[in-house]
Amino acid sequence: MVGRARRIQFFLSQNFNVAETLIGQPGSYVPVEETVRVFKETLEGKHDDLSEDAFRMVGGIDDVVEKAKKMNY
């Protein structure tokens, strides 16, 4: 349960456009509907196979999956 909570926390720290100059990477737009869907899926354990770190500073779930692949998880 704690791992799921951390995944949600990291996912909600998306790379916002307004922080682009501070974080040095392009911002992402994630529709509210996708954010809510991924939140629900994460609570249900659908993304337990993905590293918690893959959820940090990314956009939508496709970005999370791609980052996880690059991290070899």
Side-chain angles (χ1 to χ4, degrees):
M1 189 58 75
V2 173
R4 291 178 186 169
R6 281 195 297 257
R7 284 175 178 84
I8 290 168
Q9 176 187 2
F10 297 153
F11 183 71
L12 294 176
S13 68
Q14 295 159 350
N15 53 339
F16 298 106
N17 288 315
V18 295
E20 195 169 313
T21 56
L22 299 172
I23 61 175
Q25 74 181 59
S28 297
Y29 172 76
V30 181
V32 172
E33 296 81 13
E34 181 177 356
T35 301
V36 171
R37 179 180 57 83
V38 173
F39 187 99
K40 182 178 180 220
E41 290 174 356
T42 304
L43 280 179
E44 294 170 347
K46 183 175 179 182
H47 305 296
D48 285 354
D49 61 321
L50 300 173
S51 167
E52 291 176 12
D53 288 332
F55 284 79
R56 291 180 191 262
M57 301 300 290
V58 295
I61 193 65
D62 292 337
D63 294 340
V64 174
V65 171
E66 185 63 32
K67 185 175 179 181
K69 286 179 185 176
K70 289 179 182 175
M71 296 171 66
N72 294 319
Y73 287 100

PDB file of all heavy atoms in Angstrom, residues 47-67:
ATOM      1  N   HIS A  47      -0.392  -0.901 -11.659  1.00  0.00           N
ATOM      2  CA  HIS A  47       0.954  -0.442 -12.030  1.00  0.00           C
ATOM      3  C   HIS A  47       2.016  -0.850 -11.016  1.00  0.00           C
ATOM      4  O   HIS A  47       3.100  -0.274 -10.975  1.00  0.00           O
ATOM      5  CB  HIS A  47       0.952   1.075 -12.243  1.00  0.00           C
ATOM      6  CG  HIS A  47      -0.068   1.526 -13.232  1.00  0.00           C
ATOM      7  ND1 HIS A  47      -0.024   1.166 -14.551  1.00  0.00           N
ATOM      8  CD2 HIS A  47      -1.183   2.275 -13.091  1.00  0.00           C
ATOM      9  CE1 HIS A  47      -1.062   1.685 -15.179  1.00  0.00           C
ATOM     10  NE2 HIS A  47      -1.781   2.353 -14.316  1.00  0.00           N
ATOM     11  N   ASP A  48       1.722  -1.865 -10.207  1.00  0.00           N
ATOM     12  CA  ASP A  48       2.689  -2.328  -9.203  1.00  0.00           C
ATOM     13  C   ASP A  48       3.979  -2.845  -9.828  1.00  0.00           C
ATOM     14  O   ASP A  48       5.013  -2.864  -9.168  1.00  0.00           O
ATOM     15  CB  ASP A  48       2.081  -3.432  -8.337  1.00  0.00           C
ATOM     16  CG  ASP A  48       1.089  -2.904  -7.313  1.00  0.00           C
ATOM     17  OD1 ASP A  48       0.935  -1.674  -7.189  1.00  0.00           O
ATOM     18  OD2 ASP A  48       0.457  -3.749  -6.633  1.00  0.00           O
ATOM     19  N   ASP A  49       3.920  -3.247 -11.088  1.00  0.00           N
ATOM     20  CA  ASP A  49       5.114  -3.781 -11.748  1.00  0.00           C
ATOM     21  C   ASP A  49       6.069  -2.691 -12.215  1.00  0.00           C
ATOM     22  O   ASP A  49       7.188  -2.982 -12.613  1.00  0.00           O
ATOM     23  CB  ASP A  49       4.708  -4.663 -12.937  1.00  0.00           C
ATOM     24  CG  ASP A  49       3.928  -3.902 -13.992  1.00  0.00           C
ATOM     25  OD1 ASP A  49       3.097  -3.046 -13.629  1.00  0.00           O
ATOM     26  OD2 ASP A  49       4.138  -4.174 -15.187  1.00  0.00           O
ATOM     27  N   LEU A  50       5.645  -1.439 -12.151  1.00  0.00           N
ATOM     28  CA  LEU A  50       6.489  -0.324 -12.583  1.00  0.00           C
ATOM     29  C   LEU A  50       7.218   0.269 -11.376  1.00  0.00           C
ATOM     30  O   LEU A  50       6.648   0.397 -10.290  1.00  0.00           O
ATOM     31  CB  LEU A  50       5.643   0.758 -13.251  1.00  0.00           C
ATOM     32  CG  LEU A  50       4.873   0.327 -14.493  1.00  0.00           C
ATOM     33  CD1 LEU A  50       3.945   1.448 -14.951  1.00  0.00           C
ATOM     34  CD2 LEU A  50       5.822  -0.076 -15.605  1.00  0.00           C
ATOM     35  N   SER A  51       8.451   0.637 -11.583  1.00  0.00           N
ATOM     36  CA  SER A  51       9.255   1.231 -10.526  1.00  0.00           C
ATOM     37  C   SER A  51       8.628   2.532 -10.025  1.00  0.00           C
ATOM     38  O   SER A  51       8.093   3.314 -10.805  1.00  0.00           O
ATOM     39  CB  SER A  51      10.657   1.523 -11.054  1.00  0.00           C
ATOM     40  OG  SER A  51      11.365   2.350 -10.179  1.00  0.00           O
ATOM     41  N   GLU A  52       8.724   2.768  -8.740  1.00  0.00           N
ATOM     42  CA  GLU A  52       8.239   4.035  -8.189  1.00  0.00           C
ATOM     43  C   GLU A  52       8.940   5.214  -8.852  1.00  0.00           C
ATOM     44  O   GLU A  52       8.321   6.241  -9.122  1.00  0.00           O
ATOM     45  CB  GLU A  52       8.480   4.088  -6.678  1.00  0.00           C
ATOM     46  CG  GLU A  52       7.635   3.139  -5.889  1.00  0.00           C
ATOM     47  CD  GLU A  52       7.969   3.160  -4.409  1.00  0.00           C
ATOM     48  OE1 GLU A  52       8.702   4.074  -3.945  1.00  0.00           O
ATOM     49  OE2 GLU A  52       7.504   2.251  -3.707  1.00  0.00           O
ATOM     50  N   ASP A  53      10.233   5.078  -9.108  1.00  0.00           N
ATOM     51  CA  ASP A  53      11.001   6.170  -9.712  1.00  0.00           C
ATOM     52  C   ASP A  53      10.519   6.530 -11.107  1.00  0.00           C
ATOM     53  O   ASP A  53      10.716   7.656 -11.557  1.00  0.00           O
ATOM     54  CB  ASP A  53      12.485   5.832  -9.744  1.00  0.00           C
ATOM     55  CG  ASP A  53      13.116   5.876  -8.366  1.00  0.00           C
ATOM     56  OD1 ASP A  53      12.617   6.642  -7.514  1.00  0.00           O
ATOM     57  OD2 ASP A  53      14.090   5.149  -8.140  1.00  0.00           O
ATOM     58  N   ALA A  54       9.889   5.594 -11.792  1.00  0.00           N
ATOM     59  CA  ALA A  54       9.385   5.873 -13.140  1.00  0.00           C
ATOM     60  C   ALA A  54       8.232   6.872 -13.107  1.00  0.00           C
ATOM     61  O   ALA A  54       7.923   7.493 -14.123  1.00  0.00           O
ATOM     62  CB  ALA A  54       8.942   4.577 -13.814  1.00  0.00           C
ATOM     63  N   PHE A  55       7.616   7.055 -11.956  1.00  0.00           N
ATOM     64  CA  PHE A  55       6.477   7.967 -11.822  1.00  0.00           C
ATOM     65  C   PHE A  55       6.905   9.405 -11.560  1.00  0.00           C
ATOM     66  O   PHE A  55       6.082  10.304 -11.567  1.00  0.00           O
ATOM     67  CB  PHE A  55       5.558   7.486 -10.681  1.00  0.00           C
ATOM     68  CG  PHE A  55       4.716   6.299 -11.041  1.00  0.00           C
ATOM     69  CD1 PHE A  55       5.255   5.023 -11.039  1.00  0.00           C
ATOM     70  CD2 PHE A  55       3.386   6.454 -11.386  1.00  0.00           C
ATOM     71  CE1 PHE A  55       4.483   3.918 -11.364  1.00  0.00           C
ATOM     72  CE2 PHE A  55       2.600   5.359 -11.720  1.00  0.00           C
ATOM     73  CZ  PHE A  55       3.154   4.094 -11.712  1.00  0.00           C
ATOM     74  N   ARG A  56       8.182   9.622 -11.329  1.00  0.00           N
ATOM     75  CA  ARG A  56       8.672  10.969 -10.997  1.00  0.00           C
ATOM     76  C   ARG A  56       8.826  11.842 -12.239  1.00  0.00           C
ATOM     77  O   ARG A  56       9.463  11.456 -13.213  1.00  0.00           O
ATOM     78  CB  ARG A  56      10.038  10.902 -10.323  1.00  0.00           C
ATOM     79  CG  ARG A  56      10.037  10.307  -8.949  1.00  0.00           C
ATOM     80  CD  ARG A  56      11.475  10.316  -8.417  1.00  0.00           C
ATOM     81  NE  ARG A  56      11.601   9.543  -7.212  1.00  0.00           N
ATOM     82  CZ  ARG A  56      11.596  10.072  -5.989  1.00  0.00           C
ATOM     83  NH1 ARG A  56      11.473  11.366  -5.851  1.00  0.00           N
ATOM     84  NH2 ARG A  56      11.719   9.293  -4.934  1.00  0.00           N
ATOM     85  N   MET A  57       8.275  13.030 -12.147  1.00  0.00           N
ATOM     86  CA  MET A  57       8.485  14.096 -13.135  1.00  0.00           C
ATOM     87  C   MET A  57       8.236  13.657 -14.577  1.00  0.00           C
ATOM     88  O   MET A  57       9.062  13.899 -15.466  1.00  0.00           O
ATOM     89  CB  MET A  57       9.888  14.674 -12.987  1.00  0.00           C
ATOM     90  CG  MET A  57      10.176  15.262 -11.620  1.00  0.00           C
ATOM     91  SD  MET A  57       9.079  16.607 -11.153  1.00  0.00           S
ATOM     92  CE  MET A  57       9.612  17.874 -12.278  1.00  0.00           C
ATOM     93  N   VAL A  58       7.115  13.012 -14.803  1.00  0.00           N
ATOM     94  CA  VAL A  58       6.718  12.615 -16.146  1.00  0.00           C
ATOM     95  C   VAL A  58       5.299  13.106 -16.393  1.00  0.00           C
ATOM     96  O   VAL A  58       4.641  13.616 -15.491  1.00  0.00           O
ATOM     97  CB  VAL A  58       6.800  11.081 -16.343  1.00  0.00           C
ATOM     98  CG1 VAL A  58       8.227  10.603 -16.251  1.00  0.00           C
ATOM     99  CG2 VAL A  58       5.922  10.357 -15.352  1.00  0.00           C
ATOM    100  N   GLY A  59       4.826  12.896 -17.599  1.00  0.00           N
ATOM    101  CA  GLY A  59       3.470  13.285 -17.941  1.00  0.00           C
ATOM    102  C   GLY A  59       2.489  12.173 -17.620  1.00  0.00           C
ATOM    103  O   GLY A  59       2.337  11.770 -16.477  1.00  0.00           O
ATOM    104  N   GLY A  60       1.858  11.641 -18.657  1.00  0.00           N
ATOM    105  CA  GLY A  60       0.856  10.605 -18.484  1.00  0.00           C
ATOM    106  C   GLY A  60       1.450   9.224 -18.269  1.00  0.00           C
ATOM    107  O   GLY A  60       2.672   9.050 -18.202  1.00  0.00           O
ATOM    108  N   ILE A  61       0.585   8.236 -18.194  1.00  0.00           N
ATOM    109  CA  ILE A  61       1.021   6.874 -17.906  1.00  0.00           C
ATOM    110  C   ILE A  61       1.898   6.319 -19.026  1.00  0.00           C
ATOM    111  O   ILE A  61       2.789   5.518 -18.768  1.00  0.00           O
ATOM    112  CB  ILE A  61      -0.179   5.942 -17.599  1.00  0.00           C
ATOM    113  CG1 ILE A  61       0.293   4.618 -16.989  1.00  0.00           C
ATOM    114  CG2 ILE A  61      -1.018   5.719 -18.848  1.00  0.00           C
ATOM    115  CD1 ILE A  61       0.949   4.733 -15.657  1.00  0.00           C
ATOM    116  N   ASP A  62       1.681   6.760 -20.253  1.00  0.00           N
ATOM    117  CA  ASP A  62       2.557   6.315 -21.348  1.00  0.00           C
ATOM    118  C   ASP A  62       3.999   6.751 -21.092  1.00  0.00           C
ATOM    119  O   ASP A  62       4.943   6.007 -21.370  1.00  0.00           O
ATOM    120  CB  ASP A  62       2.072   6.858 -22.696  1.00  0.00           C
ATOM    121  CG  ASP A  62       0.745   6.251 -23.125  1.00  0.00           C
ATOM    122  OD1 ASP A  62       0.414   5.145 -22.657  1.00  0.00           O
ATOM    123  OD2 ASP A  62       0.042   6.892 -23.929  1.00  0.00           O
ATOM    124  N   ASP A  63       4.163   7.958 -20.556  1.00  0.00           N
ATOM    125  CA  ASP A  63       5.500   8.443 -20.209  1.00  0.00           C
ATOM    126  C   ASP A  63       6.104   7.624 -19.069  1.00  0.00           C
ATOM    127  O   ASP A  63       7.310   7.354 -19.056  1.00  0.00           O
ATOM    128  CB  ASP A  63       5.456   9.917 -19.808  1.00  0.00           C
ATOM    129  CG  ASP A  63       5.068  10.838 -20.944  1.00  0.00           C
ATOM    130  OD1 ASP A  63       5.187  10.435 -22.116  1.00  0.00           O
ATOM    131  OD2 ASP A  63       4.644  11.979 -20.652  1.00  0.00           O
ATOM    132  N   VAL A  64       5.264   7.230 -18.122  1.00  0.00           N
ATOM    133  CA  VAL A  64       5.733   6.406 -17.005  1.00  0.00           C
ATOM    134  C   VAL A  64       6.244   5.072 -17.526  1.00  0.00           C
ATOM    135  O   VAL A  64       7.338   4.620 -17.160  1.00  0.00           O
ATOM    136  CB  VAL A  64       4.605   6.181 -15.968  1.00  0.00           C
ATOM    137  CG1 VAL A  64       5.059   5.202 -14.887  1.00  0.00           C
ATOM    138  CG2 VAL A  64       4.160   7.487 -15.353  1.00  0.00           C
ATOM    139  N   VAL A  65       5.464   4.430 -18.385  1.00  0.00           N
ATOM    140  CA  VAL A  65       5.846   3.128 -18.940  1.00  0.00           C
ATOM    141  C   VAL A  65       7.136   3.252 -19.744  1.00  0.00           C
ATOM    142  O   VAL A  65       8.043   2.426 -19.609  1.00  0.00           O
ATOM    143  CB  VAL A  65       4.706   2.546 -19.811  1.00  0.00           C
ATOM    144  CG1 VAL A  65       5.150   1.310 -20.562  1.00  0.00           C
ATOM    145  CG2 VAL A  65       3.487   2.248 -18.944  1.00  0.00           C
ATOM    146  N   GLU A  66       7.244   4.294 -20.539  1.00  0.00           N
ATOM    147  CA  GLU A  66       8.456   4.499 -21.351  1.00  0.00           C
ATOM    148  C   GLU A  66       9.678   4.726 -20.450  1.00  0.00           C
ATOM    149  O   GLU A  66      10.748   4.176 -20.688  1.00  0.00           O
ATOM    150  CB  GLU A  66       8.258   5.696 -22.278  1.00  0.00           C
ATOM    151  CG  GLU A  66       9.394   5.905 -23.238  1.00  0.00           C
ATOM    152  CD  GLU A  66       9.587   4.753 -24.216  1.00  0.00           C
ATOM    153  OE1 GLU A  66       8.593   4.110 -24.579  1.00  0.00           O
ATOM    154  OE2 GLU A  66      10.748   4.508 -24.609  1.00  0.00           O
ATOM    155  N   LYS A  67       9.520   5.519 -19.405  1.00  0.00           N
ATOM    156  CA  LYS A  67      10.626   5.770 -18.485  1.00  0.00           C
ATOM    157  C   LYS A  67      11.029   4.475 -17.777  1.00  0.00           C
ATOM    158  O   LYS A  67      12.217   4.213 -17.597  1.00  0.00           O
ATOM    159  CB  LYS A  67      10.236   6.838 -17.474  1.00  0.00           C
ATOM    160  CG  LYS A  67      11.350   7.257 -16.545  1.00  0.00           C
ATOM    161  CD  LYS A  67      10.936   8.405 -15.649  1.00  0.00           C
ATOM    162  CE  LYS A  67      12.039   8.801 -14.700  1.00  0.00           C
ATOM    163  NZ  LYS A  67      11.616   9.894 -13.816  1.00  0.00           N
TER     164      LYS A  67
END
